[in-house]
Amino acid sequence: MILSNLLHRPIRTVVSILAIAIEVGMVLLVVGMTTGLLHDAARRVEGLGADIMVEPPGASFFFGLGWAPVPIKVADRLAQIPHVLAVTPVLFQSNTNVGSGVNVIWGIDPASFDRVTGGFVFLKGGMFSGPYDALVDDLYAKAHHVKVGMTISLLNHDFRVAGIVEHGKGSRLFIPMATAQDLASAHDKASIFFLKCTDPGYTDDVMKAVHQLAPQYQVISVREYMTLMTANNLPALDAFITALIAVAVIIGLLVIFLSMYTTITERTREIGILKSLGASKGFIMTIILREAAVLAAVGIVGGFLGALGAKRVILASFPTLSVDLSVEWAVWAALLALGGTMLGAFYPALRAAQLDPVDALAYE
Amino acid sequence: MEPIILTENLKKVYHVGKVDVPALRGVDLLVHEGEFVAIVGPSGCGKSTLLHILGGLTSPTSGKVLVDGNDFSKMTDADRTRFRRHKIGFVFQRFNLLPTLTARNNIEIAQHIQGNGYNPHRFEAVVEMLGIKDKLDYKPYALSGGEQQRVAIARAVICEPKILLADEPTGNLDTENSQVVLNMLRTLNRNFRQTIVMITHNPEAAAVADRTIRMRDGYILPD
Ligand SMILES: Nc1ncnc2c1ncn2[C@@H]1O[C@H](COP(=O)(O)OP(=O)(O)OP(=O)(O)O)[C@@H](O)[C@H]1O
Ligand SMILES: [Mg+2]
């Protein structure tokens, strides 16, 4: 009965399923892309191999917000702390380029950067040889069709691509520290310091020492940083995700509401017939709700498949992005879609159940 | 014989805006178990209203209604629904089959709603008697009016209702199909002692019944 009703109005059925699928797919992709972005950034920091990050007061460890560069000299003092193997300063610069989004460019000092991170893996080319040389990672290179020796525009200046490095070490774009300082008019300054201990076991001791040395600085271990890089810890991002999910769920709910509402109007007579056969209110409600549940179930599966398909397309077209589709969120998206569907179908189902049988039978 | 339907001073007033429309003005009706009764009368005299009340589709305004021992004045909406589910079968002028379902599913859904499950013997017997065996897999639009009405009768009697209520069952049929449908009702009544109350405009149809009740302006006329 439910199936034959759904098949009887194929367009309505398909549109309803599509709405649910889009709802589910959108939730999965929004969450997947934002967590993907965060995890990706976090993984790249982890990939540096540093143990501790030291930032000036007021800065955010979530790169991109409120940088107040501090004297690079601090690095020398940090390096003298016992059990510190190496310290490397980095100066952040954001590069807004039409068509490529926002990239954080790292100004680095190759020598100390290599000591902390163990050095880049060069896939092509090599380290900077002049002030206007840049390194890009392989994903950036793939996304922007960059080759060694090419000129790319960063911070409104032309840079020569000196090398393409394996991704996973901090940023996707690197330029020499001095050049970054020049362009930012931040001479002898840095945004952050990465510390490597002689052994990760000394991390806590070194953190304490840094704290004593520069109490106003923010000190965080990379391990803790990794746990903080979730949307929940970024209020703005969390609100953004919540808002998008709410919009998706509400749209799904409204489409189902409208779909079921028109259905019961259309089927008023049929409901009257069922009532004349002795169908109870519960029976009628169950029919309508089950029908909605079938729409939701098919839509949810469609949404899953759509999200997987979209992920492939996104990764193929934007190699620098990453999309983390989690089972946990798939369950959440399914529950939200099902809940929204039931909520949307509830009122129409109630209306159907409460129809007067004689009026319903007389309905044209 | 047992009276299966008994009404005393049954009244029904419809409220249309501020206007009261009295559809039944005091109906005293007695039908015995196993009887085949025809109700005739001019349009608007309250025949359908009476049938709807007897089937529990709508409630009376006042008066007494006893159907198979159930006193409607003491029954809730849900009670009447349950009563209808187990004791009443309806046949309508417009057939009222569910358009998305095949004939078979239309009949089966009545069994499903009644909740006693599928009874293959009863199904076979009813389908056989109504001669719709080879039409079972068609949807209503693919059936003629006569065939649709036979399916509707099958659906109405599949659960062995105490009373079959038919509202102008031949009203949309040509003479030939009318005759077929009337014969089936006759057979049901004869072979299964099916109590039938049938509304009709057609004197020939009324002649098939054991007894004819005349109505006018919300009353039953004395014989
Ligand atoms: N739902 C309703 N609301 C208001 N008035 C109604 C309603 N149903 C019936 N009536 C009125 O009650 C009266 C009896 O109607 P009913 O349908 O019982 O007549 P009927 O004898 O079945 O007529 P017909 O032969 O045309 O089917 C009519 O005046 C009709 O207009
Ligand atoms: Mg009528």
Side-chain angles (χ1 to χ4, degrees):
Chain A
M1 164 119 178
I2 289 165
L3 276 186
S4 58
N5 274 330
L6 289 173
L7 296 177
H8 192 66
R9 293 258 171 269
I11 306 243
R12 174 189 84 92
T13 303
V14 166
V15 169
S16 307
I17 288 174
L18 215 60
I20 301 286
I22 289 171
E23 170 187 348
V24 169
M26 187 169 144
V27 169
L28 286 180
L29 284 179
V30 164
V31 172
M33 286 177 75
T34 46
T35 56
L37 216 64
L38 282 173
H39 288 165
D40 193 45
R43 275 195 295 269
R44 273 187 274 137
V45 167
E46 192 181 31
L48 284 172
D51 296 311
I52 298 169
M53 300 154 70
V54 177
E55 275 203 314
S60 162
F61 279 107
F62 308 109
F63 312 141
L65 305 161
W67 306 328
V70 287
I72 207 162
K73 293 198 300 276
V74 177
D76 299 335
R77 284 159 58 201
L78 294 173
Q80 273 147 33
I81 295 173
H83 306 302
V84 171
L85 181 68
V87 177
T88 188
V90 171
L91 182 66
F92 299 145
Q93 283 277 41
S94 69
N95 178 49
T96 322
N97 230 355
V98 183
S100 65
V102 181
N103 296 296
V104 178
I105 302 171
W106 284 23
I108 55 166
D109 159 43
S112 63
F113 193 85
D114 283 1
R115 276 202 302 280
V116 168
T117 67
F120 286 115
V121 176
F122 283 96
L123 301 175
K124 292 263 169 58
M127 190 41 89
F128 317 125
S129 53
Y132 283 88
D133 276 2
L135 301 181
V136 304
D137 81 353
D138 50 344
L139 296 178
Y140 186 93
K142 191 173 162 203
H144 297 88
H145 309 291
V146 172
K147 301 222 160 35
V148 170
M150 261 174 69
T151 302
I152 56 174
S153 171
L154 301 173
L155 307 166
N156 300 320
H157 286 77
D158 285 345
F159 282 80
R160 188 187 71 93
V161 176
I164 294 175
V165 299
E166 198 174 82
H167 63 274
K169 284 221 160 75
S171 184
R172 300 199 187 284
L173 294 164
F174 304 90
I175 59 174
M177 188 73 173
T179 314
Q181 288 169 337
D182 269 357
L183 295 176
S185 317
H187 296 284
D188 299 326
K189 292 198 169 169
S191 314
I192 193 168
F193 303 94
F194 291 99
L195 276 64
K196 177 136 185 105
C197 304
T198 49
D199 184 289
Y202 292 120
T203 304
D204 287 342
D205 296 343
V206 173
M207 281 173 68
K208 274 193 204 108
V210 174
H211 201 69
Q212 275 172 5
L213 190 74
Q216 73 278 26
Y217 278 55
Q218 301 185 65
V219 187
I220 187 170
S221 71
V222 168
R223 194 184 316 142
E224 191 187 344
Y225 169 81
M226 292 302 293
T227 66
L228 289 181
M229 281 299 266
T230 66
N232 296 344
N233 286 310
L234 288 179
L237 195 57
D238 205 22
F240 166 78
I241 292 175
T242 310
L244 273 177
I245 290 175
V247 168
V249 171
I250 288 170
I251 290 175
L253 187 151
L254 288 179
V255 170
I256 289 293
F257 171 82
L258 203 64
S259 161
M260 298 317 285
Y261 195 83
T262 49
T263 298
I264 66 138
T265 310
E266 225 174 56
R267 280 194 233 150
T268 299
R269 258 174 81 82
E270 290 171 49
I271 291 158
I273 293 167
L274 291 173
K275 292 199 153 202
S276 80
L277 293 172
S280 64
K281 289 185 177 166
F283 184 93
I284 308 257
M285 282 199 74
T286 309
I287 286 184
I288 306 284
L289 291 179
R290 269 202 210 153
E291 192 172 315
V294 170
L295 292 177
V298 179
I300 287 167
V301 173
F304 287 171
L305 297 178
L308 288 174
K311 177 179 173 168
R312 294 182 72 139
V313 172
I314 289 170
L315 293 187
S317 355
F318 306 98
T320 55
L321 290 180
S322 73
V323 184
D324 288 8
L325 299 178
S326 72
V327 173
E328 189 192 341
W329 268 99
V331 171
W332 273 114
L335 288 178
L336 282 172
L338 194 65
T341 301
M342 289 298 123
L343 216 60
F346 188 78
Y347 178 70
L350 201 66
R351 284 269 306 218
Q354 284 173 343
L355 281 175
D356 178 80
V358 176
D359 292 347
L361 281 169
Y363 190 87
E364 290 302 325
Chain B
M1 272 197 292
E2 288 283 303
I4 195 163
I5 299 174
L6 178 73
T7 74
E8 278 172 16
N9 200 21
L10 170 61
K11 294 186 181 170
K12 176 72 179 180
V13 181
Y14 288 110
H15 303 282
V16 183
K18 283 185 178 153
V19 186
D20 286 353
V21 182
L24 299 177
R25 301 163 188 255
V27 169
D28 300 318
L29 174 69
L30 186 74
V31 176
H32 291 291
E33 191 153 12
E35 259 196 306
F36 186 170
V37 175
I39 299 179
V40 298
S43 191
C45 70
K47 304 184 295 294
S48 295
T49 303
L50 176 61
L51 212 69
H52 292 156
I53 290 175
L54 295 179
L57 279 180
T58 186
S59 54
T61 306
S62 69
K64 181 171 161 184
V65 181
L66 262 176
V67 182
D68 195 36
N70 297 276
D71 184 348
F72 279 21
S73 63
K74 297 192 178 113
M75 284 161 74
T76 63
D77 209 43
D79 288 337
R80 277 191 282 113
T81 301
R82 199 171 313 116
F83 157 83
R84 180 163 70 246
R85 177 154 71 226
H86 295 289
K87 305 220 161 152
I88 299 294
F90 272 107
V91 175
F92 301 95
Q93 177 174 0
R94 300 171 55 182
F95 320 136
N96 279 345
L97 296 177
L98 295 165
T100 57
L101 300 183
T102 60
R104 179 194 305 281
N105 290 338
N106 261 287
I107 299 170
E108 281 171 356
I109 199 157
Q111 290 182 308
H112 176 62
I113 288 173
Q114 208 225 12
N116 283 358
Y118 179 67
N119 177 347
H121 297 299
R122 176 75 182 168
F123 192 91
E124 281 299 311
V126 166
V127 161
E128 185 74 37
M129 181 186 63
L130 291 168
I132 47 174
K133 209 173 182 122
D134 49 349
K135 303 288 174 189
L136 285 176
D137 294 317
Y138 291 94
K139 294 206 173 161
Y141 63 82
L143 298 174
S144 74
E147 287 161 351
Q148 285 189 57
Q149 194 61 302
R150 272 141 64 193
V151 173
I153 294 172
R155 183 182 64 183
V157 300
I158 192 74
C159 295
E160 306 183 55
K162 280 283 186 178
I163 305 168
L164 182 63
L165 299 173
D167 194 343
E168 300 189 42
T170 59
N172 273 354
L173 300 179
D174 57 34
T175 325
E176 195 181 329
N177 275 308
S178 294
Q179 209 50 56
V180 172
V181 163
L182 288 170
N183 282 339
M184 308 224 145
L185 293 177
R186 181 76 270 178
T187 313
L188 270 170
N189 174 252
R190 288 262 164 80
N191 297 1
F192 299 93
R193 280 195 78 232
Q194 176 71 59
T195 309
I196 302 178
V197 177
M198 175 181 74
I199 294 173
T200 183
H201 273 127
N202 179 351
E204 280 173 47
V208 177
D210 303 327
R211 177 156 74 95
T212 299
I213 293 170
R214 283 165 213 292
M215 283 187 72
R216 177 159 301 163
D217 300 334
Y219 295 105
I220 288 184
L221 299 178
D223 297 325

